[in-house]
Amino acid sequence: MNLQRHHSMLLAAAGAALALSLTACQSDTSTKSAPEATSSTAGKAAGGERSDSSATKDSTGRTQSTASQGSTDQAEKGGSTGSTGEQASAATRVCTARDVRITAAAQGGPPTTHIVLTAKNTSGHSCRLAGAPHIQFLESHKQDVPAVAKSKPVSPVVLTAGAPAYALVKLSDGGVDEDSEPVSAFSVVLEGDSTVIAVNAPGGGGIAVDPAKALTGYWTPELRNGADDF
């Protein structure tokens, strides 16, 4: 009876030892597996973070590049659409007799059938020279010399300080049988200003004017072939 109990006790001890061994093995296996899983998870997380960081970086880079390009485009537009002729002239004061000095010079000839008026901005600021010069050559003809519509520029001329503008003026056809009269000086009035400007005719002997043939062009930054050919 004692032998049998002793044998049972040995079997029980052996079973307990085996159970403890198995438990230890399972715990060790679980412990070893856990770091691998954690490492894998961390790797994925790290990979995810790198992917998000890269995407954010790329996205930021593209946004900054677009903003830079937008600023450049805006600067270019501002230099090209921010000051168009009409906007600049609308914001600029009208030239008066105090702002410009008008002189006359013969254009071609002889005979002298055309003269060129030059209006130079002698003020220290910009001004707008609109329309055509209002010219009267003779006391006997009080009406202004007609303006040629095809010479009208798209927008009024804006003269910066010291800049000139020009207007071509036809005096006659140059025929010997024309009803022309000698003119040594004539009057010019600028559009938007009622001041009469006295202009000396070019040449020592004056100019011959046929009031029925006289014409004037509009003020332009330069004399243009075709538009100023009349």
Side-chain angles (χ1 to χ4, degrees):
M1 186 67 179
N2 290 334
L3 181 60
Q4 184 177 1
R5 180 179 296 178
H6 179 69
H7 181 68
S8 297
M9 290 177 63
L10 288 176
L11 289 177
L18 180 60
L20 289 174
S21 177
L22 288 176
T23 301
C25 289
Q26 288 177 355
S27 175
D28 184 50
T29 301
S30 176
T31 303
K32 288 182 181 180
S33 298
E36 290 179 1
T38 303
S39 175
S40 176
T41 302
K44 288 181 181 180
E49 289 176 359
R50 286 193 296 269
S51 176
D52 292 343
S53 174
S54 176
T56 302
K57 183 177 180 180
D58 291 344
S59 176
T60 303
R62 286 194 297 271
T63 301
Q64 291 175 350
S65 176
T66 303
S68 175
Q69 183 65 35
S71 300
T72 303
D73 292 344
Q74 186 62 33
E76 291 175 354
K77 290 178 181 178
S80 62
T81 58
S83 50
T84 63
E86 293 182 359
Q87 291 176 348
S89 59
T92 307
R93 56 176 290 181
V94 175
C95 294
T96 67
R98 295 182 178 182
D99 300 320
V100 299
R101 178 174 178 266
I102 299 179
T103 56
Q107 174 78 357
T112 302
T113 60
H114 294 73
I115 61 174
V116 176
L117 297 183
T118 300
K120 184 177 181 179
N121 185 353
T122 57
S123 70
H125 55 79
S126 297
C127 64
R128 173 166 47 98
L129 194 60
H134 299 275
I135 303 171
Q136 290 186 7
F137 282 116
L138 301 165
E139 289 294 329
S140 59
H141 294 79
K142 292 297 185 180
Q143 67 273 21
D144 293 344
V145 173
V148 179
K150 70 175 182 177
S151 68
K152 184 177 182 179
V154 176
S155 59
V157 179
V158 176
L159 295 180
T160 57
Y166 307 95
L168 183 67
V169 181
K170 180 180 179 180
L171 307 176
S172 66
D173 288 335
V176 295
D177 297 329
E178 283 188 81
D179 188 11
S180 300
E181 298 185 39
V183 173
S184 59
F186 54 94
S187 65
V188 174
V189 175
L190 302 177
E191 187 168 317
D193 183 22
S194 59
T195 305
V196 177
I197 303 171
V199 180
N200 292 325
I207 53 178
V209 178
D210 182 352
K213 303 294 180 63
L215 296 169
T216 182
Y218 282 73
W219 294 113
T220 57
E222 70 283 325
L223 294 177
R224 305 158 301 168
N225 293 332
D228 298 313
D229 185 13
F230 53 85

